[in-house]
Amino acid sequence: MTIKYELIKECKRTKARLGRLHTPHGIIETPVFMPVGTQATVKAMTPEELKDIGAEIILSNTYHLFLRPGEDLVKQAGGLHRFMNWERPILTDSGGFQVFSLGPLRKVGEDGVTFKSHLDGSTHFMPPERAIEIQMALGSDIIMAFDECAPYPSTWEYTEAALARTTRWAARCKEAHKREDQALFGIVQGGMYKDLRERSARELVEIGFPGYAIGGLSVGEPKDIMYEMLEYTVPLLPTDKPRYLMGVGSPDCLIEGVIRGVDMFDCVLPTRIARNGTAMTSHGKVVIKNADNTRDFRPLDEECTCYTCRNYSRAYLRHLFKAEEILGLRLMTIHNLHFLITLMKNVRQAIIEDNLPEYRNEFFVKYGYE
């Protein structure tokens, strides 16, 4: 069985969609936020805790797992699900973004990318076929084509060359992919140029994939430009296939992305800022290390039902961070992921009730965006 997208409802007032993704490891209600487990673990979280907060799918990274512990070991362990004790769906990205983020440590050619490991400096060559081979060995439910992500800003000429290579690599990825129990998504590139976005979407749809990701956004561009690119790009994609905006995880971008027709999101933001002591709450961000939390015995968020907010105060959390106790990082991570997963649940309910614009406005005022 491969992935199947079921469109349940289209919002009458926006481009938002309510849907279900059927995978070999379970059904995913969309729109959905996917916690990131880069190295076969969502940092500071156990699989049981992820289930408790309602995570339906998590993301892992091909580049990191290829370097350590190696896809052969994961395959020998019975695949990524068994290796990390996660029985629900997994998406793996191709490693393309990580490779291109290496800057001077990598060299791009038509056949693939030569790069040096950030761990030990060893040299590796990654053609598109190898990225697919690794992901087939990992056994994730959804895998991504190997792409070239143009940085921001980039010239039209540079972006066009990266797009053309991405399309050629996408075709090679599809040819190399042999597992029927996995779904291979193509990745739309094209930077901040509408004509290139249109070309990329058209070429990928012609190749044909069971889902489409939108890459090359949230790479440093202003949010209004990202929204403009989404408004132009999403309608170019098939309505009967899931749409995945890569690397986006702030509450405002999640809601605005859904309004523009996106079904899937992922980002390290909630877990990263949690470990740095910042919580997302119904009334905006809370920096737990601030002195005004010293004797504040309220929960992080009085409207939140997560384990952290049911049991611990801001004062205690601040104490944990000041004392550099690991529990503080764990409790903040639980809260932030619960907050975003609950946010997406509320967004889905707003789509059902046809009041997503009102929900968006009320949330933005409370959070402090407006």
Side-chain angles (χ1 to χ4, degrees), residues 172-190:
R172 290 168 56 183
C173 286
K174 184 176 180 180
E175 178 66 23
H177 185 233
K178 305 300 181 185
R179 285 191 65 157
E180 294 183 358
D181 59 344
Q182 287 180 320
L184 169 64
F185 282 22
I187 304 177
V188 177
Q189 290 292 347

Side-chain angles (χ1 to χ4, degrees), residues 265-292:
F265 305 84
D266 83 281
C267 195
V268 298
L269 176 70
T271 50
R272 178 173 290 167
I273 67 172
R275 297 193 303 276
N276 291 327
T278 299
M280 300 173 176
T281 79
S282 301
H283 295 272
K285 292 182 179 179
V286 171
V287 180
I288 201 63
K289 297 177 186 178
N290 287 352
D292 57 0

